[in-house]
C-alpha cells in the first residue's frame, strides 16, 4: 500500500502537532487531548504493519507448544484438547480480527497448560513451563511500542 | 463542558456552601486531569470573600472511568492529610448525588503555583530531578507515618487485618482482570497465581495507602519543590510497602536506572525510611512490586473495556489500555520468566 499506513499516521500526527496544536494553545484541555490523539497515531503507525505478523508468530508458537505438551504425562482431557488445538484449522482469513478469532481460544488453553505445569517439579514439566514463558515473551516483545518524547 | 444552567446551579451551591452571599463562577475551563474524573478550574467571585476571588478545582464523575471509586473516598483523603506535612489542596465541598451537576463532584482549592509532569516525558524535571526525588520519597514516607485511625479514612474504607492486606488487594484486582478482560490474559493470570503462592509478611502497622502515588500525580513549582499530591481516588488502608512499590514500578520511570526515574534506589529508600519511621522490607517489597505491575495491568484492561464498550471514549483510555498494558505485560513477562517454578 502506498502511501503506507505508517506514513499516513505519522503524517497525520505531524499535522496535529504542527498545524492544529498551535491553534489550541489557550485551551489546556484541548492541547492535552490533541497530544494524546497525536501519540495514538504514532503508536498505530508502529503497530499497523506488524500486528497480523505478531499474531501469526504467536499462533505458530502455541501450536508447536501444544503439540509437544500433548505428548507429556498431563491429564488425558487436557492432552486431547492440546492436540486438537495444535491441529486446528488455519484462520479463515489473515485480518487481525480473523487471526484473533483463532488466537484467543489458544491463549485460554495456554493459561490452562501453564497452570498445569508451573508447580510440578517433574523433569518433563520444567521445560514446558519455560516454553510457556517463551511464547508469552514472544508476544510481549513483539508488541513493544516506541514512545516519542511528549 | 458544564452547561450554562449547570454553572448557574454551581454558583448558587457555592453561595450556600461558602456562606458568602452571591457568587459568580468565572474563567471556567476544563483541564487535563486523568480519565477517572472530569476536571475543571474556575474562579469563585464574590463581594464577601477577602480579595473577592478564590481559585477552585472541580472534579466531576464521568459517565465511566478507569477506576470505579467513590468520590467521598478521595475527598476524605484530601481532608485527612491537609495541614499534616503532606502537601494537598484544601477540600472544600462534596456533592455525592446528581442534584447540582447531574453527576457527583467535589471541589478543592486550586494550587496556582504548580505544574504536573508526565512520567512519559524523557526528562520531566531537568536539573531539579534529584530535589524532586528527595521530596517525592519523603512525602511518601510522611503519608506512611500517619496513623490511619487518626484520619477520616476509616469512615469511608474498610480496615483490613494486617495479614489480610495483600489478599484483599489481590482479590480486588483479580476480579477486575476477570470481569473486564476482552481477551484471555495469560501473563496477568500467571502473575496472580505467582502472587498467591508467595504471600508477603504483614506490615507491622497499617497505613493510609495513597494508591496511585507516582510521577505524574503531583504538582511541582519548577524549582524542585512538590506543591501538591493529587489523585487520591484509590486511597485505602493497607501495607505502606504497596505505595512504595507502585511509586517504583518501572512504567513510571523515565530513567529506568533510578527509583521512579528520580533518585538512586538506596537514597530513595533512605528518605522514605527517615520520613516514615518504618523499615524497608525487601521481601514484602518484592511481592508488592509484582502486585503493582499486575494492578497497573488490571487498570489498563479496565480502560480498554470502557473504551471498547463506548462508555468513555476519552482517547487517554485508548492510550492507557493499549500502550500501558503492552508495557506492563512485558515488565511482568520479563520478570517472571526469569524466576520460574514459584519464586517472585
Amino acid at each position: 500500500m502506498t502511501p503506507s499506513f505508517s506514513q499516513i499516521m505519522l503524517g497525520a500526527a505531524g499535522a496535529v502537532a504542527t498545524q492544529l496544536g498551535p491553534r489550541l494553545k489557550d485551551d489546556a484541555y484541548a492541547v492535552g487531548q490533541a497530544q494524546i490523539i497525536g501519540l495514538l497515531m504514532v503508536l498505530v503507525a508502529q503497530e499497523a504493519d506488524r500486528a497480523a505478523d505478531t499474531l501469526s508468530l504467536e499462533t505458530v508458537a502455541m501450536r508447536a507448544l501444544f503439540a509437544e505438551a500433548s505428548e507429556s504425562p498431563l491429564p488425558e482431557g487436557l492432552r486431547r484438547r492440546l492436540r486438537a488445538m495444535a491441529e486446528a484449522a488455519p484462520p479463515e482469513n489473515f485480518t487481525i480480527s480473523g487471526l484473533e478469532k483463532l488466537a484467543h481460544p489458544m491463549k485460554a488453553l495456554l493459561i490452562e497448560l501453564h497452570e498445569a505445569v508451573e508447580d510440578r517439579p517433574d523433569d518433563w514439566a520444567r521445560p514446558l513451563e519455560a516454553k510457556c514463558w517463551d511464547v508469552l515473551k514472544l508476544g510481549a516483545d513483539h508488541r513493544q511500542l516506541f514512545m516519542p518524547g511528549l | 463542558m458544564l452547561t450554562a444552567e449547570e454553572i448557574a446551579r454551581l454558583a448558587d451551591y457555592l453561595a450556600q456552601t461558602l456562606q458568602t452571599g452571591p457568587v459568580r463562577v468565572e474563567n471556567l475551563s476544563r483541564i487535563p486531569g486523568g480519565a477517572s474524573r472530569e476536571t475543571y478550574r474556575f474562579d469563585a467571585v464574590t463581594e464577601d470573600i477577602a480579595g473577592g476571588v478564590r481559585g477552585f478545582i472541580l472534579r466531576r464523575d464521568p459517565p465511566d472511568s478507569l477506576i470505579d471509586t467513590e468520590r467521598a473516598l478521595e475527598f476524605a483523603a484530601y481532608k485527612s492529610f491537609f495541614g499534616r506535612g503532606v502537601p494537598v489542596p484544601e477540600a472544600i465541598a462534596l456533592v455525592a448525588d446528581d442534584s447540582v451537576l447531574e453527576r457527583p463532584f467535589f471541589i478543592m482549592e486550586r494550587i496556582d503555583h504548580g505544574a504536573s509532569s508526565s512520567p512519559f516525558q524523557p526528562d520531566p524535571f531537568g536539573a531539579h530531578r534529584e530535589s524532586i526525588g528527595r521530596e517525592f520519597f519523603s512525602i511518601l514516607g510522611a503519608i506512611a507515618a500517619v496513623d490511619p485511625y487518626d484520619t477520616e479514612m476509616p469512615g469511608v474504607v474498610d480496615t483490613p487485618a494486617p495479614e489480610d492486606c495483600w489478599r484483599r488487594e489481590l482479590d480486588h484486582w483479580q476480579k477486575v482482570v476477570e470481569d473486564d478482560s476482552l481477551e484471555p490474559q495469560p501473563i496477568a493470570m500467571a502473575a496472580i497465581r505467582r502472587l498467591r503462592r508467595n504471600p508477603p509478611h504483614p506490615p507491622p502497622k497499617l497505613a493510609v495507602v495513597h494508591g496511585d502515588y507516582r510521577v505524574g500525580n503531583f504538582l511541582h513549582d519548577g524549582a524542585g519543590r512538590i506543591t501538591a499530591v493529587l489523585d487520591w481516588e484509590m486511597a485505602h488502608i493497607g501495607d505502606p510497602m504497596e505505595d512504595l512499590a507502585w511509586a517504583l514500578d518501572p512504567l513510571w520511570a523515565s530513567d529506568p536506572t533510578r527509583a521512579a526515574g528520580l533518585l538512586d534506589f538506596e537514597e530513595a529508600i533512605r528518605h522514605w525510611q527517615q520520613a516514615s519511621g518504618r523499615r524497608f522490607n525487601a521481601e514484602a517489597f518484592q511481592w508488592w512490586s509484582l502486585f503493582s505491575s499486575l494492578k497497573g495491568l488490571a487498570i489498563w484492561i479496565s480502560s480498554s473495556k470502557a473504551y471498547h464498550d463506548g462508555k468513555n471514549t476519552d482517547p487517554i483510555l485508548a492510550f492507557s489500555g493499549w500502550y500501558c498494558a503492552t508495557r506492563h505485560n512485558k515488565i511482568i513477562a520479563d520478570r517472571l520468566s526469569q524466576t520460574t517454578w514459584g519464586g517472585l
Side-chain angles (χ1 to χ4, degrees), chain A residues 76-91:
Chain A
E76 179 52 32
L78 178 56
R79 289 170 56 195
R80 194 166 47 245
R81 285 185 291 126
L82 288 164
R83 198 174 305 117
M85 197 65 88
E87 296 166 358

Side-chain angles (χ1 to χ4, degrees), chain B residues 7-260:
Chain B
I7 292 170
R9 285 202 300 268
L10 174 62
D12 289 345
Y13 170 78
L14 285 168
Q16 291 171 20
T17 304
L18 301 175
Q19 298 187 320
T20 55
V23 170
R24 294 195 311 278
V25 171
E26 295 186 352
N27 301 318
L28 180 109
S29 62
R30 188 169 177 183
I31 58 174
S36 60
R37 305 266 189 272
E38 290 174 5
T39 306
Y40 300 88
R41 57 174 287 149
F42 68 94
D43 294 327
V45 182
T46 174
E47 301 302 318
D48 296 345
I49 297 176
V53 180
R54 288 179 75 180
F56 291 128
I57 293 291
L58 184 151
R59 300 254 286 160
R60 179 168 78 157
D61 284 18
D64 193 12
S65 77
L66 259 75
I67 305 157
D68 291 328
T69 57
E70 294 293 326
R71 78 290 318 160
L73 186 163
E74 189 174 10
F75 190 76
Y78 281 114
K79 286 184 80 73
S80 295
F81 285 93
F82 183 70
R84 301 185 69 165
V86 176
V88 292
E90 182 179 5
I92 302 295
L94 168 70
V95 176
D97 58 36
D98 57 2
S99 59
V100 180
L101 295 181
E102 311 294 339
R103 281 174 254 148
F105 69 93
F106 70 88
I107 294 170
M108 56 188 175
E109 168 201 16
R110 189 171 74 225
I111 308 288
D112 280 326
H113 305 292
S116 63
S117 294
S118 166
F120 304 121
Q121 287 174 283
D123 186 14
F125 307 107
H128 301 296
R129 177 173 69 174
E130 298 215 343
S131 54
I132 288 285
R134 288 189 286 274
E135 289 234 320
F136 180 78
F137 287 101
S138 294
I139 293 169
L140 184 56
I143 294 170
V146 170
D147 180 354
Y149 295 102
D150 191 26
T151 71
E152 300 201 5
M153 296 302 288
V156 291
V157 293
D158 295 335
T159 304
E163 62 272 21
D164 289 335
C165 291
W166 71 270
R167 188 181 295 107
R168 191 190 59 172
E169 291 305 306
L170 184 56
D171 287 351
H172 173 79
W173 292 106
Q174 178 174 349
K175 186 169 188 313
V176 171
V177 171
E178 291 171 348
D179 288 352
D180 290 353
S181 290
L182 298 169
E183 58 187 292
Q185 299 288 343
I187 294 174
M189 298 313 292
I192 290 166
R193 295 192 302 272
R194 196 75 70 91
L195 288 164
R196 287 207 182 278
R197 282 201 301 270
N198 298 275
H201 288 303
K205 285 188 300 184
L206 294 172
V208 174
V209 176
H210 178 286
D212 196 10
Y213 191 91
R214 62 173 173 81
V215 172
N217 277 345
F218 60 79
L219 301 179
H220 64 99
D221 65 0
R225 296 297 306 273
I226 291 176
T227 54
V229 175
L230 306 172
D231 294 306
W232 293 74
E233 60 260 47
M234 288 193 284
H236 57 277
I237 296 172
D239 187 335
M241 297 307 292
E242 179 186 348
D243 257 349
L244 192 56
W246 179 255
L248 291 166
D249 188 90
L251 182 63
W252 317 126
S254 54
D255 176 351
T257 66
R258 289 174 167 254

Side-chain angles (χ1 to χ4, degrees), chain A residues 45-58:
Chain A
Q46 296 172 54
E47 188 68 12
D49 195 43
R50 71 182 190 194
D53 185 52
T54 302
L55 279 162
S56 297
L57 289 170
E58 272 184 326

Side-chain angles (χ1 to χ4, degrees), chain A residues 29 118 137 141 143-144, chain B residues 30 193 326 330 334 337:
Chain A
Y29 178 72
E118 68 188 351
K137 273 184 56 60
D141 290 344
R143 292 192 173 87
Q144 285 313 288
Chain B
R30 188 169 177 183
R193 295 192 302 272
T326 299
K330 179 160 170 58
D334 284 349
S337 63

Side-chain angles (χ1 to χ4, degrees), chain A residues 27-30 32-33 36-37 39-40 43-45 47 100 103-105 107-108 110-111 114-115 118-121 126 129-130 133 136-137 140-141 143-150, chain B residues 29-33 39 118 120-122 182-187 189-191 193-194 197 307 314-316 318-319 322-323 326-327 329-330 332-334 336-342:
Chain A
D27 185 336
Y29 178 72
Q33 294 297 86
I36 294 293
I37 291 165
L39 196 53
L40 283 168
L43 301 183
V44 170
E47 188 68 12
E100 284 183 332
H104 286 179
K107 288 184 181 178
L110 178 61
I111 293 173
H114 199 172
E115 188 170 7
E118 68 188 351
D119 268 344
R120 303 185 69 125
R126 311 299 342 118
E129 187 195 359
W133 279 114
L136 294 174
K137 273 184 56 60
D141 290 344
R143 292 192 173 87
Q144 285 313 288
L145 295 156
F146 168 72
M147 169 74 86
L150 292 173
Chain B
S29 62
R30 188 169 177 183
I31 58 174
T39 306
S118 166
F120 304 121
Q121 287 174 283
L182 298 169
E183 58 187 292
Q185 299 288 343
I187 294 174
M189 298 313 292
R193 295 192 302 272
R194 196 75 70 91
R197 282 201 301 270
Y307 191 83
D314 190 319
I316 191 69
F319 171 77
W322 177 18
Y323 175 79
T326 299
R327 286 284 313 279
N329 265 317
K330 179 160 170 58
I332 296 172
D334 284 349
L336 292 187
S337 63
Q338 300 300 312
T339 55
T340 56
W341 201 21

